[in-house]
Amino acid sequence: MNPKTHFRLTVLHVVVLAMLLVLLGRLWNLQVINGEHYRDVAAQNRIREIVVPATRGMILDSSGRALVRNRAALVVSVDRTVLSRQDDGGRAVLDRLAATLGTTRAELEKRIRLCSPTVKRPCWPGSPYQPIPVADRVDPKQALQIMERAEEYPGVIAAVQAVREYPRPEGAVAAQTLGYLQPITQEEMDERRGLKVTGYSGVDLIGRDGLEAQYDTDLRGQPGVREVLVDSQGRVTGTAREQAPVPGSSLVTSLDARIQAAAEQAIKNAVDKARKAGSKADSGAAVVMDARTGRVVALASYPSYDPSIWIGGISQAEYEGLLGRSQGQPLISRAIQGQFPPASTFKISSVAAAVADGYPLNGTYPCPGSYRVGNREFRNFEGQAHGSMNLHRALVVSCDTIFYKFAYEQWLRDGGLKPARKPKDPMATMARNFGFGSRTGVDLPSEAEGRIPDRTWKREYWQATKDDTCKAAKNGYKDLERTAPSRAAYLKAIAKEHCAEGFVWRPGDAANFSIGQGDVLVTPLQLARAYAAVANGGKLVVPRVGLAVIRPDGTVVRHIEPPEPERLPVDGKVLAYMRRALADVTTNGTAAGAFNGFDLKKVHVAGKTGTAEVYGKEDTAWFASFAPARNPRFVVVAMISQAGTGGTYAAPAVREIYEAMYGLNGKKAALVNGDLPNRLPRVRPDGTVAVPTGTAP
């Protein structure tokens, strides 16, 4: 053997030996060092984990009536992952499924496609790795056909599931307050890191708005897990382990279904009445609240919608209808998200501000038909002059010029157009003390703040809008010059003024502020909270809708207590003075016509009308009230947008609500002895609810 051949054989032996050593080392690593790990992996290849969703808890009113509950339904779902493994992408399976369900493959494909900014509904907004429901009202024969011939429907699941149901007790809808459910998205799953950390899983529906979102953790429960054994072809051969889901707890609210239904109907009636009179009434809201505790008894918003529209998927047209202006944006809760100028209902704050600034509570003040503020005349409603009067009478007849005088004189004392370094701004300061311009803290998401304008706000607003304003001042409003030349000229002049000096807090701004006009914006719930503070002697309560959380076995998880109220910095004598004045509004004031024939001896309602002027729109009608006047228990506020005067449209709506609450004018009383239930409803193990004692039958 020559040396070259010998060398090559030696190298080959070394290489073979090295490979054997590497192989032995790898085997040692796999079987000895990491053997336990790979045995677990091998076992997992035979086990599939299936998440079993928990039954979501109910939402009940204070008497145990179900506002939201569950019903058992046969639901057919499609697993996109399984379909994607088919040679044809699952088209044949979807064709067979469509024929079985009586629909088309195109419709099913729309339901299982993933939502994106470019994909219109119907689509799937949840995780792409979970089964996607395509039908939730399946006939048992259809479901049986799918289950018995599973080999023809790979990736299709038919099973009984709990589906949300909205029974509308007493006719109440409360759609915006209840909220709705949507599938959890993959991004949310990634943020929550899945089931083991947070209890969320890919099959979960989570609350997107209202009480469903606010109390999602309580209502959701804990999903269960089933580990099944599968063979090499993925067929289930047995169950390795099963952990049952824990049903969610039920939420008892302070809402009363009868009063909620009455409030919704009263607002609708007011809108219909205004439209028949020729106005453009487009929306409304009502709030009923316990003045002593802040418990919310009713939150009505118009227009509303049927919350069951979310069940089983929603079409693009339906979704756009909930958000579109053409249908009134029914998804928005006007009670907590709508922001409107409060007009004369705001005068409770202005009276308190004037007295705190040194004006005598029992003084006498002239109420002329107009009052000159700077170089402009500000008029009473319809230019009426009422002579000299005290503040009691000023609230009863709603004199504006007295408040113009207060605001203008305070503006001058603060330095006028050259304000002091630290102006007192008594009107704005008192308004914030009443809770205006900030969220009430109600246990509902997306509450609006409202707006209390002052010098700082006006400068910031001017800085944010001056570019557009100055452009309009230069170029005008060409789109209006042909159709409405006078309006175009007026808007151009206003734009020119704002461009140059839009940051200046003028005397007219102060005057408008004093009567709840101009740039002042409040929500109906903020106004209800402010009137509750007047009614209860100065406690600025925090509204609460949730009352208690109850487990499925009936045990109480926790009572939901409102936070401790703040103290309104207003003398008790001033509050008592205003209560007496507001009590006369319904007897010989601006709401006397609306309450003509109402049994004020049985339930004396105190309140204040408001008619807010809004540029480019018709007047917004308000009525804020509390009752009984001498010992206030409830606050009721109503607002009708673009309706007309508060005494004509909002006050009659409030009257309807009180009649339903106390059983007046032939109506059945929603309250028992003028009170709410004093005990929680009892949830039985079978899911039924026992009505507490002291509840109207």
Side-chain angles (χ1 to χ4, degrees):
M1 183 180 297
N2 60 53
K4 286 187 178 181
T5 303
H6 183 270
F7 177 75
R8 290 173 180 170
L9 287 174
T10 301
V11 171
L12 180 61
H13 290 159
V14 171
V15 171
V16 171
L17 181 60
M19 292 176 64
L20 287 173
L21 290 174
V22 170
L23 180 60
L24 289 172
R26 182 59 176 162
L27 288 173
W28 175 266
N29 180 271
L30 291 174
Q31 296 185 14
V32 179
I33 297 178
N34 292 315
E36 187 68 25
H37 168 71
Y38 287 106
R39 276 192 292 272
D40 291 341
V41 172
Q44 290 173 9
N45 287 335
R46 296 185 299 108
I47 296 175
R48 296 290 184 269
E49 188 178 86
I50 300 173
V51 178
V52 182
T55 302
R56 198 170 177 88
M58 298 182 291
I59 300 178
L60 310 172
D61 83 343
S62 58
S63 297
R65 305 179 186 96
L67 300 169
V68 186
R69 64 189 178 198
N70 302 299
R71 62 175 173 85
L74 279 168
V75 179
V76 172
S77 304
V78 172
D79 192 326
R80 284 172 49 93
T81 304
V82 175
L83 288 187
S84 65
R85 294 172 183 165
Q86 304 291 313
D87 293 337
D88 61 352
R91 285 189 291 274
V93 175
L94 291 179
D95 281 330
R96 285 192 291 273
L97 181 59
T100 303
L101 298 178
T103 183
T104 64
R105 173 163 57 87
E107 185 63 29
L108 294 178
E109 287 175 339
K110 287 181 181 179
R111 289 185 175 275
I112 66 173
R113 62 185 178 174
L114 301 180
C115 290
S116 73
T118 59
V119 175
K120 292 186 176 182
R121 296 170 185 265
C123 57
W124 178 245
S127 170
Y129 303 111
Q130 70 179 88
I132 301 172
V134 295
D136 68 340
R137 296 180 182 271
V138 181
D139 185 271
K141 292 182 179 179
Q142 296 172 327
L144 188 61
Q145 181 179 347
I146 294 170
M147 289 186 286
E148 286 184 342
R149 300 162 60 184
E151 69 281 358
E152 296 183 10
Y153 299 94
V156 180
I157 304 163
V160 176
Q161 295 181 15
V163 177
R164 261 341 204 187
E165 184 178 44
Y166 302 88
R168 296 192 182 189
E170 310 296 336
V173 178
Q176 297 87 354
T177 304
L178 296 176
Y180 59 93
L181 302 177
Q182 284 280 272
I184 188 169
T185 65
Q186 188 62 40
E187 290 76 13
E188 289 169 323
M189 281 290 294
D190 294 340
E191 289 174 5
R192 293 172 168 88
R193 300 185 213 168
L195 172 65
K196 293 182 180 178
V197 177
T198 64
Y200 283 94
S201 70
V203 299
D204 269 322
L205 295 175
I206 62 174
R208 293 295 186 200
D209 196 12
L211 295 171
E212 292 276 24
Q214 188 74 24
Y215 292 97
D216 183 73
T217 303
D218 295 301
L219 294 166
R220 188 183 70 247
Q222 292 291 329
V225 178
R226 183 185 301 123
E227 293 180 350
V228 296
L229 302 173
V230 296
D231 60 18
S232 59
Q233 296 181 351
R235 292 175 296 196
V236 176
T237 61
T239 301
R241 184 177 71 90
E242 187 167 359
Q243 176 184 329
V246 179
S249 298
S250 291
L251 173 68
V252 180
T253 71
S254 55
L255 299 176
D256 184 284
R258 289 186 174 181
I259 300 174
Q260 177 71 33
E264 291 175 2
Q265 188 61 49
I267 294 301
K268 183 180 183 303
N269 291 344
V271 171
D272 291 343
K273 175 184 175 183
R275 287 175 177 173
K276 287 180 181 178
S279 77
K280 298 178 181 179
D282 54 7
S283 63
V287 178
V288 182
M289 189 169 71
D290 188 326
R292 302 173 187 174
T293 66
R295 297 290 186 187
V296 177
V297 182
L299 279 176
S301 181
Y302 180 90
S304 189
Y305 70 96
D306 184 353
S308 62
I309 195 174
W310 296 101
I311 299 174
I314 184 172
S315 70
Q316 186 68 23
E318 291 170 330
Y319 184 71
E320 291 176 351
L322 294 178
L323 297 172
R325 293 184 179 276
S326 61
Q327 296 185 34
Q329 298 176 298
L331 197 60
I332 295 175
S333 171
R334 264 71 181 187
I336 69 168
Q337 296 171 312
Q339 302 178 92
F340 309 88
S344 292
T345 61
F346 192 71
K347 288 176 181 175
I348 57 169
S349 174
S350 298
V351 166
V355 175
D357 198 41
Y359 291 93
L361 178 63
N362 295 302
T364 300
Y365 306 94
C367 179
S370 65
Y371 182 81
R372 191 170 188 81
V373 177
N375 58 1
R376 178 184 167 191
E377 294 290 333
F378 279 71
R379 298 167 58 84
N380 258 339
F381 182 72
E382 295 182 344
Q384 291 181 337
H386 297 281
S388 295
M389 61 181 64
N390 56 21
L391 292 177
H392 180 113
R393 186 64 181 165
L395 287 173
V396 173
V397 302
S398 200
C399 174
D400 289 340
T401 49
I402 288 177
F403 294 94
Y404 295 148
K405 170 184 169 63
F406 293 158
Y408 183 45
E409 291 175 352
Q410 289 171 343
W411 179 82
L412 290 172
R413 285 196 291 272
D414 274 341
L417 294 175
K418 296 181 179 180
R421 178 174 295 181
K422 293 183 178 180
K424 291 175 61 178
D425 284 333
M427 290 284 183
T429 300
M430 183 58 69
R432 293 190 181 95
N433 289 336
F434 267 90
F436 298 118
S438 60
R439 296 182 179 91
T440 66
V442 66
D443 51 341
L444 289 170
S446 305
E447 182 187 9
E449 292 185 349
R451 184 171 67 202
I452 294 300
D454 56 14
R455 291 174 175 82
T456 301
W457 170 84
K458 194 167 186 185
R459 178 173 289 276
E460 291 175 350
Y461 182 78
W462 174 76
Q463 290 173 342
T465 60
K466 68 175 182 178
D467 289 344
D468 291 337
T469 302
C470 293
K471 183 178 179 181
K474 180 180 180 181
N475 300 329
Y477 295 83
K478 298 187 182 302
D479 54 333
L480 291 175
E481 288 177 356
R482 294 182 180 179
T483 57
S486 59
R487 185 182 179 190
Y490 171 76
L491 291 175
K492 185 176 181 179
I494 293 294
K496 186 176 182 180
E497 178 183 336
H498 284 190
C499 175
E501 298 180 323
F503 58 88
V504 178
W505 184 253
R506 297 184 175 280
D509 296 322
N512 280 327
F513 186 103
S514 69
I515 62 164
Q517 292 278 183
D519 294 309
V520 181
L521 296 176
V522 306
T523 69
L525 185 61
Q526 285 176 332
L527 194 63
R529 185 191 189 200
Y531 271 74
V534 174
N536 64 33
K539 292 190 301 181
L540 202 61
V541 295
V542 179
R544 274 291 175 273
V545 182
L547 196 60
V549 177
I550 301 179
R551 292 192 182 95
D553 62 6
T555 59
V556 177
V557 177
R558 72 179 189 280
H559 293 271
I560 302 170
E561 298 295 340
E564 194 67 24
E566 297 179 9
R567 192 71 195 173
L568 185 67
V570 178
D571 192 293
K573 294 180 181 179
V574 177
L575 297 176
Y577 185 95
M578 288 196 288
R579 286 196 295 272
R580 291 191 295 271
L582 297 175
D584 285 349
V585 171
T586 54
T587 56
N588 57 12
T590 54
F595 281 84
N596 183 33
F598 184 88
D599 193 349
L600 291 171
K601 291 183 179 179
K602 186 173 182 179
V603 182
H604 192 160
V605 176
K608 185 75 190 75
T609 57
T611 304
E613 297 178 3
V614 182
Y615 178 76
K617 295 184 178 181
E618 297 183 31
D619 294 346
T620 297
W622 286 93
F623 189 66
S625 71
F626 54 83
R630 290 190 177 182
N631 187 25
R633 179 63 195 278
F634 297 104
V635 168
V636 181
V637 170
M639 179 280 306
I640 314 296
S641 173
Q642 297 208 80
T645 62
T648 305
Y649 298 103
V654 170
R655 170 178 174 159
E656 282 186 47
I657 297 171
Y658 278 118
E659 288 174 344
M661 291 171 65
Y662 290 97
L664 306 176
N665 197 25
K667 296 181 180 179
K668 191 174 183 178
L671 301 173
V672 175
N673 299 322
D675 209 349
L676 296 168
N678 53 15
R679 294 183 182 179
L680 291 174
R682 182 166 58 88
V683 178
R684 302 188 183 99
D686 62 357
T688 59
V689 182
V691 176
T693 57
T695 300

